């Protein structure tokens, strides 16, 4: 059997993303490429990537989520190419209110009560189906973008093993004495009838028009004297128990309309201005003197409860919560409806009055207002105060108010009994853990995250809903004792009677009763757990912990997580809390934070705004690689302002990159270039300066990009690679070596160019692989796979390139920059003098004091002469400078480091060469139009307009014939009509008309019209 020779093969000429990506997807499917790569890398050092699970609340991922997944895929692919054994399990956050709301909407269920009558079993099953269906659809969308994760086994927060880990976590907290229940003032959604977390409260706001009223609280000692308070929530007045003043401010007694008011001195002027009342100052005293002053509730006749409160209706002190920025400096205090009020209330042993039910209506104890929705009662309360003579002034105010981020109902604040984890006292431990975590960018951790931790509060984890992890707390119906269950086994073993649990969800789990030590029966507390506790436990739960402890021992903690900037207060925080509570440390080592994907005007993308674009649409139009390349070059932690124009531009880059490989593959495959047969080191003596320059650039770029990728500065790595491929390779090196690739013989000089270009292209392809996996795979399969015997089945098994420091040369690169500057000065000067680039000139002289320029003239001498198209190019002798300056023979120009002189006096030989080059360029254009292979031969006719031109061209006959690969070239003057089958064309050159005809030799040979070759030689 003959083994096929290994050499570079040919790449399709056109970059067609549709075809490229379809082929690669087919290949990956047939060869199980993902599984293959994963298996081959499974022996490396562990790298635990932890996926932040999206909510599967819709079947179409937001473009920001697709960006997020592409970043993750890039990191995973990079780490694999560095030899790591990467854990790449994706996840979905399947529980929670967004999904419950979608099901409520689907079945027109409007409240918690209606869910009960709809049937809890059916409701929860619908939630599960909804989540699983959407998760499956999202998986397809992510996979389609080339995201290589373990899509067959995503972790799903609603699976029993996951729920068991949540239970285990709470049991840990319980055993450490951190988990119990207590009264807390919480933000509450009266529509969803559940508590919301602090970090959910910051998610959505609306502007509400509310009452703004000044109310008179009559002193118990003198009903004609009042404490003047201000509030925007009249509905909390039935729950008032105290007034706060600041002990450090000055307060006054003032007289107005024969009544006496107490308020802060600094607030008298603004209050007079707002209410139109004139105050007459009676007395000034420090706020501390007001402590203990008692008053009567203005609503005590309408809300009888107010009459029977103990230890209430007195002035208490607070220097932290009473300010002079608004109101009167006397603050209405209702511990049942305000966190600060609650805190001050606890300190002063004030009663907690909370008169609002789960749906936001007044309880029966609210007297006159019982059963009424609280916000609707505001005007009634104002009218009542007015009728009772306790209203000082009423107006309205617009203010920003938090709403439920799922259903947009304005939130209320109320004291409720909740289950919570005590972490408020652990701030130092949290900050210590943040300090030992790597944050990218650094300021996200050092500033934003630490600032957020300053407000650390106890973690209220109970929710009063259905679709979630059930709270594993059973309470004795007789003695009230609580028991925390840590696993399914523990539950079934301790159940009063044998139970079949199809899943650990409500309502099935609600039916399980336990036996208490006292002999009584224990029932489950009906709450479910905050979804952020669930996702916070992902680092352990997805490993099957605690059942599968060996997995966790190997992988935990996570090496890397990456999510959007909104996760500072959410998932980054949730993971940290869970990790500290259960394991005593942060469950991740490195965090990368990215921005939001917005529209071109910087607005959020929403279906309702009509600016919603999906990654799928972008991929359909411009390709998956174009989408990936575009989002990955965006500065990671800044917002991405999506623009179709930008995408088009970036797709252009991909075409340029493709064309660079096409150029190399065309000539290398023609010459059957076999890189494994001859190394750069073997060709060392044949390397030209520009080859050594490219090797320096290549190795420098490898070094820089590796460092950037190791530090997750992916966008900088992408930009560096783009610059390398587009500027260094496509615009520079490829142009410089064109003539070397065009010679027929297998010279060492040509091989040196090939070997250099090959090394650069292969390294670049490797480094591009994590970013644009389709394009790189396609180039690899077509062009490189058979170039070397040891090449693996897929580009994704190539090892990341290693740089060789010996090739990196600062001086070569500096001198190349000087060379390029000289060449662009020459080009400008030629343009100014109307001299074509193709027209050779006798000499170019340079005057400069710069060592770099002088060295460049030596190092890149041959390159400079060729590219400047000058017979001579060198330093001008110092003594002749003034002569050059005056001479009409020279065109001159200044550049940054000196001056440049171009000899304009052309000899016959130079004119002939200029004309010949003009001819060659047009004939090559005709070869392209004829779609000839680069190595096919032609017969050629050339009709010049004059004998003089014909003579000039005849002197360049061999040159022209070689350049256009003509077996025979006839040059004549006058008018010859060239016949079929020649492809003919007329051209204007220097204002006169030439006629050329070309015919592929094989065409005439087939017709038996063998016109024997008169020229041979290089093609
Ligand atoms: Zn709601
Ligand atoms: Zn009991």
């Amino acid at each position: 059997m003959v083994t096929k020779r290994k050499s570079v093969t040919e790449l399709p000429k056109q970059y067609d993303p549709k075809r490229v990506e379809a082929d690669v997807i087919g290949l990956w499917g047939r060869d199980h490429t993902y599984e293959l790569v994963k298996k081959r890398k499974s022996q490396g050092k562990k790298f635990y990537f932890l996926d932040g699970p999206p909510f599967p609340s819709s079947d179409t991922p937001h473009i920001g989520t697709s960006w997020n997944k592409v970043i993750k895929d890039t990191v995973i692919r990079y780490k694999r190419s560095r030899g790591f054994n990467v854990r790449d399990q994706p996840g979905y956050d399947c529980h929670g209110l967004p999904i419950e709301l979608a099901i409520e909407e689907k079945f027109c269920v409007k409240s918690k009560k209606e869910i009960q009558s709809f049937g809890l079993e059916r409701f929860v099953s619908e939630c599960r189906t909804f989540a699983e269906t959407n998760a499956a659809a999202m998986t397809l969308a992510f996979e389609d973008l080339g995201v290589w994760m373990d899509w067959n086994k995503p972790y799903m927060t609603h699976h029993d093993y996951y729920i068991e880990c949540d239970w285990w976590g709470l049991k840990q907290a319980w055993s450490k004495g951190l988990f119990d229940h207590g009264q807390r003032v919480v933000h509450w959604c009266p529509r969803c009838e559940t508590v919301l977390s602090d970090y959910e409260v910051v998610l959505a706001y609306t502007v509400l028009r509310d009452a703004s009223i000044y109310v008179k609280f009559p002193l118990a000692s003198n009903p004609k004297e009042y404490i003047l308070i201000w509030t925007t929530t009249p509905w909390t007045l039935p729950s008032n128990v105290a007034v706060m003043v600041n002990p450090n401010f000055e307060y006054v007694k003032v007289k107005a309309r024969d009544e006496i008011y107490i308020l802060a001195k600094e607030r008298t002027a603004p209050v007079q201005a707002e209410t139109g009342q004139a105050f007459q100052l009676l007395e000034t005293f420090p706020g501390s003197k007001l402590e203990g002053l008692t008053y009567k509730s203005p609503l005590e006749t309408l809300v009888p409860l107010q009459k029977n409160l103990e230890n209430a209706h007195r002035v208490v002190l607070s220097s932290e919560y009473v300010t002079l920025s608004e109101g009167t400096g006397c603050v209405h205090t209702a511990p049942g409806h305000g966190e600060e009020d609650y805190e001050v209330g606890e300190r002063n042993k004030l009663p907690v009055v909370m008169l609002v039910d789960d749906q936001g209506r007044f309880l029966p104890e609210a007297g006159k207002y019982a059963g009424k929705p609280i916000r609707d009662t505001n005007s009634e309360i104002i009218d009542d105060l007015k009728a009772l003579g306790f209203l000082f002034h009423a107006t309205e105010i617009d203010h920003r108010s938090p709403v439920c981020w799922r259903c947009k109902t304005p939130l209320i604040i109320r004291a409720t009994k909740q289950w919570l984890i005590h972490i408020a006292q652990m701030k130092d431990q949290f900050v210590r853990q943040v300090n030992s975590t790597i944050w990218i960018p650094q300021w996200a951790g050092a500033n934003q995250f630490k600032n957020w931790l300053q407000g650390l509060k106890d973690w209220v984890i109970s929710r009063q809903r259905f679709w979630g992890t059930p709270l594993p707390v059973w309470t004795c119906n007789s003695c009230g004792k609580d028991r925390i269950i840590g696993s399914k086994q523990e539950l079934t073993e301790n159940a009063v009677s044998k139970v079949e649990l199809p899943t650990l969800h409500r309502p099935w789990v609600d039916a399980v009763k336990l036996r208490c030590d006292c002999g009584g029966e224990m029932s489950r507390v009906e709450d479910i757990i905050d979804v952020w506790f669930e996702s916070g436990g992902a680092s352990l739960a997805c490993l099957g912990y605690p059942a599968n402890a060996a997995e966790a021992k190997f992988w935990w903690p996570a090496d890397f997580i990456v999510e959007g900037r909104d996760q500072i207060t959410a998932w980054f925080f949730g993971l940290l809390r869970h990790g500290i509570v259960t394991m005593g440390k942060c469950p991740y080592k490195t965090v990368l934070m990215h921005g939001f994907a917005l529209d071109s005007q910087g607005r959020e993308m929403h279906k309702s705004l009509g600016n919603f674009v999906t990654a799928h649409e972008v991929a359909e139009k411009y390709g998956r690689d174009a989408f990936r390349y575009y989002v990955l070059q965006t500065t990671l932690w800044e917002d991405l302002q999506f623009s179709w124009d930008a995408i088009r531009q970036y797709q252009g880059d991909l075409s340029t990159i493709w064309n660079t490989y096409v150029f190399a593959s065309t000539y290398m495959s023609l010459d059957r270039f076999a890189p494994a047969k001859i190394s750069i080191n073997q060709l060392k003596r044949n390397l030209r300066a520009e080859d050594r320059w490219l090797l320096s650039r290549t190795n420098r770029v490898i070094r820089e990009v590796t460092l950037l990728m190791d530090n997750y500065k992916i966008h900088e790595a992408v930009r560096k690679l783009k610059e390398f491929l587009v500027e260094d390779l496509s615009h520079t090196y490829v142009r410089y070596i064109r003539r070397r690739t065009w010679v027929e013989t297998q010279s060492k000089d040509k091989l040196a160019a090939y070997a250099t270009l090959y090394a650069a292209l292969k390294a670049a392809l490797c480094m591009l692989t994590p970013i644009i996996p389709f394009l790189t795979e396609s180039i690899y399969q077509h062009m490189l796979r058979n170039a070397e015997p040891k090449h693996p089945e897929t580009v994704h098994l190539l090892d990341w390139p290693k740089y060789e420091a010996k090739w990196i040369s600062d001086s070569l690169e500096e001198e190349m920059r000087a060379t390029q500057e000289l060449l662009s000065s020459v080009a400008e000067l030629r343009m100014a003098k109307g001299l074509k680039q193709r027209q050779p000139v006798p000499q170019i002289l340079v005057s400069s004091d710069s060592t770099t320029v002088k060295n460049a003239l030596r190092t890149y001498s041959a390159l400079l002469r060729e590219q400047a198209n000058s017979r001579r190019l060198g330093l001008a002798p110092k003594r002749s400078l003034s002569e050059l300056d005056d001479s009409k023979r020279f065109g001159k120009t200044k550049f940054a480091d000196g001056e440049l002189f171009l000899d304009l006096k052309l000899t016959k030989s130079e004119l002939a060469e200029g004309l010949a080059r003009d001819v060659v360029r047009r004939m090559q254009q005709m070869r392209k139009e004829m779609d000839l292979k680069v190595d096919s031969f032609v017969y050629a006719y050339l009709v010049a307009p004059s004998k003089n031109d014909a003579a000039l061209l005849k002197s360049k006959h061999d040159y022209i014939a070689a350049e256009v690969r003509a077996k025979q070239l006839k040059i004549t003057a006058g008018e010859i009509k060239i016949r079929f089958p020649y492809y003919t064309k007329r051209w204007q050159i220097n204002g006169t008309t030439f006629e050329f005809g070309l015919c592929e030799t094989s065409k005439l040979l087939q017709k038996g019209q063998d016109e024997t070759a008169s020229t041979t030689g290089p093609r």
Side-chain angles (χ1 to χ4, degrees):
M1 200 177 110
V2 184
T3 44
K4 225 179 119 199
R5 207 180 123 195
K6 295 289 183 185
S7 62
V8 172
T9 47
E10 213 177 338
L11 180 63
K13 296 271 182 284
Q14 283 295 320
Y15 172 52
D16 173 0
K18 271 218 157 61
R19 196 208 63 230
V20 163
E21 290 168 13
D23 286 355
V24 169
I25 287 168
L27 174 86
W28 289 351
R30 275 194 309 282
D31 293 359
H32 304 284
T33 310
Y34 162 71
E35 290 80 2
L36 179 76
V37 172
K38 198 169 167 176
K39 194 164 162 240
R40 292 265 177 90
K41 303 287 180 177
S42 62
Q43 299 308 312
K45 202 170 160 232
K46 77 109 182 172
F47 183 82
Y48 178 7
F49 155 72
L50 179 63
D51 189 29
F55 275 126
S57 51
S58 134
D59 57 0
T60 318
H62 190 275
I63 195 166
T65 314
S66 300
W67 175 24
N68 168 281
K69 279 290 192 287
V70 165
I71 295 170
K72 291 169 176 173
D73 180 60
T74 302
V75 170
I76 291 170
R77 286 178 190 269
Y78 170 67
K79 287 294 173 184
R80 286 215 170 102
S81 81
R82 294 297 304 274
F84 283 90
N85 173 17
V86 183
R87 193 170 196 286
D88 62 356
Q89 185 184 28
Y92 288 103
D93 205 347
C94 297
H95 282 146
L97 256 184
I99 290 166
E100 286 197 36
L101 290 196
I103 301 305
E104 285 184 31
E105 219 162 83
K106 183 173 168 189
F107 294 98
C108 298
V109 173
K110 288 191 184 61
S111 66
K112 264 164 87 170
K113 218 188 213 155
E114 287 184 37
I115 293 175
Q116 299 281 7
S117 48
F118 180 79
L120 208 48
E121 271 183 39
R122 190 177 157 211
F123 185 77
V124 165
S125 302
E126 289 289 347
C127 287
R128 171 197 297 272
T129 308
F130 181 83
E132 288 178 349
T133 311
N134 283 335
M138 286 173 87
T139 287
L140 289 180
F142 297 140
E143 265 189 301
D144 185 67
L145 289 173
V147 176
W148 272 7
M149 289 189 189
D150 195 355
W151 295 112
N152 288 328
K153 289 196 264 342
Y155 73 82
M156 312 277 267
T157 58
H158 69 295
H159 285 165
D160 276 0
Y161 76 88
Y162 200 106
I163 290 177
E164 283 191 275
C165 185
D166 297 333
W167 287 6
W168 165 85
L170 285 178
K171 194 155 184 176
Q172 286 294 304
W174 175 265
S175 66
K176 291 178 185 174
L178 298 174
F179 177 46
D180 66 11
H181 59 91
Q183 198 173 44
R184 280 293 182 281
V185 179
V186 295
H187 278 90
W188 185 272
C189 175
R191 200 223 71 96
C192 301
E193 297 179 48
T194 185
V195 57
L196 273 86
S197 320
D198 300 329
Y199 39 88
E200 290 171 304
V201 170
V202 297
L203 293 177
Y205 285 88
T206 190
V207 173
L208 285 182
R209 167 140 288 212
D210 261 331
S212 163
I213 56 172
Y214 290 88
V215 184
K216 297 147 63 173
F217 284 8
L219 295 188
S221 55
N222 180 357
K224 279 287 164 201
E225 274 187 46
Y226 303 94
I227 303 170
L228 193 63
I229 66 102
W230 171 76
T231 182
T232 57
T233 51
W235 63 267
T236 60
L237 287 172
S239 306
N240 171 276
V241 299
V243 168
M244 272 187 251
V245 302
N246 193 317
N248 307 320
F249 296 159
E250 278 196 307
Y251 283 76
V252 290
K253 269 187 185 175
V254 295
K255 195 171 179 183
R257 290 183 301 195
D258 291 334
E259 291 176 340
I260 293 173
Y261 300 100
I262 296 170
L263 71 163
K265 187 179 176 192
E266 269 199 46
R267 293 303 302 169
T268 51
V271 172
Q272 288 180 87
E274 191 186 337
T275 62
Q277 296 285 340
F279 290 155
Q280 182 191 343
L281 181 67
L282 300 177
E283 196 183 338
T284 305
F285 45 88
S288 55
K289 273 202 122 175
L290 289 168
E291 188 178 19
L293 185 67
T294 54
Y295 62 89
K296 285 188 167 185
S297 162
L299 294 173
E300 66 175 22
T301 52
L302 306 176
V303 184
L305 172 132
Q306 279 285 354
K307 249 188 217 159
N308 309 318
L309 288 176
E310 279 181 33
N311 208 20
H313 304 138
R314 57 197 169 91
V315 173
V316 296
L317 302 180
S318 166
S319 50
E320 65 272 54
Y321 300 131
V322 180
T323 67
L324 294 172
S325 55
E326 57 186 10
T328 62
C330 300
V331 178
H332 149 54
T333 304
H337 295 291
E339 281 179 84
E340 295 161 355
D341 307 45
Y342 188 86
E343 189 191 318
V344 173
E346 266 200 325
R347 210 160 58 211
N348 290 283
K349 306 207 162 42
L350 296 172
V352 177
V353 177
M354 207 290 292
L355 296 174
V356 180
D357 72 5
D358 288 356
Q359 286 130 40
R361 287 179 310 229
F362 276 111
L363 292 166
E365 296 92 309
K368 178 172 188 264
Y369 310 112
K372 294 174 182 166
I374 51 168
R375 297 188 60 82
D376 300 352
T377 319
N378 278 343
S379 54
E380 186 180 341
I381 292 176
I382 295 169
D383 289 345
D384 290 342
L385 287 169
K386 198 171 179 186
L388 292 164
F390 295 122
L391 187 71
F392 185 75
H393 184 77
T395 173
E396 283 184 329
I397 189 172
D398 286 334
H399 65 125
R400 224 166 143 251
S401 174
V403 294
C404 175
W405 65 283
R406 293 110 169 192
C407 74
K408 309 297 176 214
T409 305
L411 299 178
I412 58 177
I413 297 173
R414 67 195 275 258
T416 58
K417 244 188 157 183
Q418 298 292 341
W419 287 82
L420 39 99
I421 301 176
H422 296 276
I423 50 170
Q425 307 307 318
M426 297 162 83
K427 202 185 287 176
D428 291 347
Q429 200 181 342
F430 275 69
V431 170
R432 264 201 308 280
Q433 289 294 320
V434 177
N435 288 340
S436 56
T437 308
I438 298 168
W439 277 78
I440 304 149
Q442 197 259 343
W443 50 258
N447 306 338
Q448 295 189 352
F449 198 46
K450 279 197 204 159
N451 283 348
W452 171 254
L453 292 178
Q454 292 314 307
L456 191 66
K457 285 183 204 156
D458 287 342
W459 189 357
V460 175
I461 61 146
S462 45
R463 295 289 182 275
Q464 291 67 47
R465 296 293 306 188
F466 309 107
W467 176 236
T469 291
L471 193 76
V473 179
W474 272 256
T475 302
C476 178
N477 305 339
S478 314
C479 73
K481 193 177 154 189
D482 296 318
R483 176 164 183 183
I484 314 296
I485 293 296
S487 70
K488 185 176 182 178
Q489 195 186 347
E490 188 186 343
L491 180 64
T492 47
E493 280 175 8
N494 289 282
V496 168
S497 53
K498 202 169 157 9
V499 277
E500 278 304 316
L501 278 178
T503 110
L504 294 178
H505 283 96
R506 299 190 69 184
W508 299 275
V509 74
D510 298 340
V512 183
K513 305 291 178 198
L514 306 181
R515 181 70 61 211
C516 179
D517 295 339
C518 78
E521 202 177 70
M522 305 180 101
S523 306
R524 202 183 72 80
V525 173
E526 284 197 349
D527 293 348
I528 57 168
I529 299 176
D530 177 11
V531 288
W532 293 100
F533 183 86
E534 301 178 33
S535 61
S539 75
L540 289 164
C542 74
L543 299 171
Y545 198 80
N548 197 344
E551 276 284 292
K553 189 158 188 270
F554 181 77
W555 292 106
W556 201 85
D559 292 287
F560 175 71
I561 57 172
V562 48
E563 301 300 331
R565 59 177 162 83
D566 51 334
Q567 301 304 323
I568 289 261
T569 58
W571 198 54
F572 299 153
F573 179 49
L575 283 172
L576 178 63
R577 279 190 301 192
H578 191 282
I580 287 180
V581 167
T582 58
M583 305 293 272
K585 71 183 230 183
C586 182
Y588 49 84
K589 292 183 188 165
T590 300
V591 195
L592 174 61
M593 186 189 82
H594 66 77
F596 283 172
L598 307 171
D599 75 0
S600 56
Q601 288 147 53
R603 298 174 306 168
E604 282 188 30
M605 288 195 194
H606 285 300
K607 282 181 179 147
S608 57
L609 286 176
N611 61 356
F612 194 79
V613 178
T614 64
H616 181 72
E617 284 170 67
V618 179
E620 280 284 297
K621 277 198 178 129
Y622 296 100
R624 297 162 178 87
D625 282 325
F627 173 74
R628 295 176 61 115
Y629 178 70
Y630 169 59
V631 294
L632 289 172
Q633 60 72 43
T634 307
T635 303
L636 271 166
W637 41 87
E638 285 172 10
D639 290 342
L640 165 75
Q641 295 206 357
F642 178 83
S643 131
W644 286 108
D645 288 342
I647 288 264
R648 265 189 291 280
Q649 186 193 325
Y650 286 107
Q651 198 210 28
D653 282 350
L654 297 186
S655 286
T656 306
I657 291 170
W658 182 273
N659 291 340
T660 309
Y661 284 87
V662 167
F663 169 82
S665 97
T666 305
Y667 293 103
M668 288 180 188
S669 65
L670 216 58
D671 284 325
R672 295 184 190 281
F673 174 62
K677 285 218 163 144
I678 190 153
S679 71
I680 296 258
N681 282 319
Q682 285 169 289
L683 289 162
K684 218 166 173 180
R685 283 191 303 147
N686 306 93
L687 294 175
R688 293 196 191 183
E690 55 268 36
D691 302 337
R692 284 185 282 115
W693 166 77
L694 184 65
L695 290 168
S696 175
R697 289 293 304 142
T698 305
N699 284 281
R700 188 187 298 277
V701 168
I702 295 173
R703 186 171 74 186
E704 289 174 349
V705 169
T706 307
L707 195 66
L708 290 169
M709 290 301 283
D710 281 342
N711 290 303
Y712 301 101
K713 308 230 164 118
I714 299 167
H715 55 282
E716 286 184 46
V718 174
R719 293 173 199 166
K720 201 134 252 166
L721 284 167
K722 170 194 160 148
E723 188 196 335
F724 180 58
L725 278 150
V726 174
E727 299 303 327
D728 294 344
L729 275 160
S730 174
H731 294 170
T732 307
Y733 188 72
V734 162
R735 239 174 50 200
Y736 291 171
I737 62 163
R738 260 180 208 283
R739 297 194 57 78
R740 291 162 75 189
T741 60
W742 189 243
V743 293
E744 186 86 32
T745 53
Q746 294 284 11
S747 70
K748 285 266 177 83
D749 178 52
K750 182 161 79 171
L751 280 178
Y754 279 173
T756 305
L757 180 60
Y758 181 86
L761 288 177
K762 186 174 164 183
L765 195 75
C766 258
M767 293 188 280
L768 282 172
T769 294
I771 299 154
I772 41 175
F774 299 97
L775 180 145
T776 49
E777 181 76 284
S778 184
I779 290 178
Y780 178 76
Q781 296 295 339
H782 281 109
M783 173 180 171
L784 299 183
R785 169 124 185 235
N786 286 312
E788 294 179 53
K790 282 184 188 153
H791 271 176
E793 298 90 324
T794 164
V795 74
H796 300 285
L797 278 171
L798 280 180
D799 290 330
W800 188 260
K802 288 193 179 70
Y803 74 91
E804 287 185 85
K806 68 170 183 186
W807 291 111
I808 300 179
S809 160
D810 293 344
S811 57
L812 266 177
E813 293 186 28
E814 271 168 38
E815 289 161 25
M816 178 55 92
R817 277 193 288 276
T819 298
Q820 288 175 325
E821 206 191 323
L822 286 173
L823 287 174
S824 66
S825 298
V826 171
E828 278 168 34
L829 190 51
R830 278 175 173 276
M831 189 110 85
K833 296 290 169 193
L835 206 59
K836 282 186 235 174
Q837 187 60 34
R838 282 186 297 280
Q839 175 59 58
V841 295
Q843 61 175 338
I844 294 172
L845 296 170
V846 176
S847 153
S848 173
D849 292 328
S850 150
T851 320
T852 308
V853 170
K854 287 177 189 168
N855 288 341
L857 289 174
R858 265 196 305 276
T859 308
Y860 295 107
S861 155
L863 179 76
L864 272 164
R865 267 183 285 123
E866 186 191 288
Q867 295 297 317
N869 202 8
S870 172
R871 302 237 194 271
R872 232 191 113 239
L873 196 154
L875 267 185
K878 273 250 165 17
R879 57 188 151 71
S880 62
L881 274 182
S882 56
E883 203 177 304
L884 282 171
D885 239 3
D886 297 337
S887 167
K888 287 221 162 54
R889 178 175 157 181
F890 287 90
K892 51 186 170 282
T893 184
K894 282 194 166 59
F895 63 99
D897 289 311
E899 239 180 326
L900 189 137
F901 305 91
L902 181 85
D903 192 346
L904 299 166
K905 192 175 175 194
L906 307 178
T907 64
K908 205 168 187 186
S909 140
E910 280 136 16
L911 287 170
E913 194 175 325
L915 186 57
R917 287 191 183 212
D918 275 334
V919 168
V920 165
R921 192 185 70 90
R922 287 168 176 82
M923 283 196 170
Q924 271 162 352
Q925 169 71 26
M926 288 168 72
R927 284 184 62 108
K928 254 191 209 146
E929 289 164 9
M930 292 160 76
D931 211 13
L932 295 184
K933 287 204 175 116
V934 289
D935 60 341
S936 57
F937 285 97
V938 292
Y939 296 122
Y941 275 107
L942 197 169
V943 185
S946 68
K947 286 211 169 119
N948 189 29
D949 284 332
L952 280 177
L953 288 171
K954 271 180 187 163
S955 75
K956 290 286 165 191
H957 174 279
D958 291 359
Y959 162 77
I960 298 169
E963 291 289 313
V964 303
R965 291 181 75 77
K967 288 251 179 196
Q968 194 178 64
L969 169 66
K970 284 185 182 162
I971 301 173
T972 56
E975 272 195 44
I976 289 186
K977 192 99 180 94
I978 303 167
R979 288 167 300 134
F980 182 80
Y982 279 78
Y983 172 58
T984 66
K985 215 166 169 177
R986 286 176 179 214
W987 297 94
Q988 291 288 314
I989 300 176
N990 302 334
T992 52
T993 308
F994 289 69
E995 189 176 356
F996 305 154
L998 293 184
C999 178
E1000 202 176 353
T1001 49
S1002 57
K1003 273 199 181 160
L1004 283 181
L1005 286 173
Q1006 279 159 17
K1007 295 183 148 200
Q1009 297 171 292
D1010 187 5
E1011 302 192 29
T1012 42
S1014 65
T1015 56
T1016 51
R1019 50 163 205 267

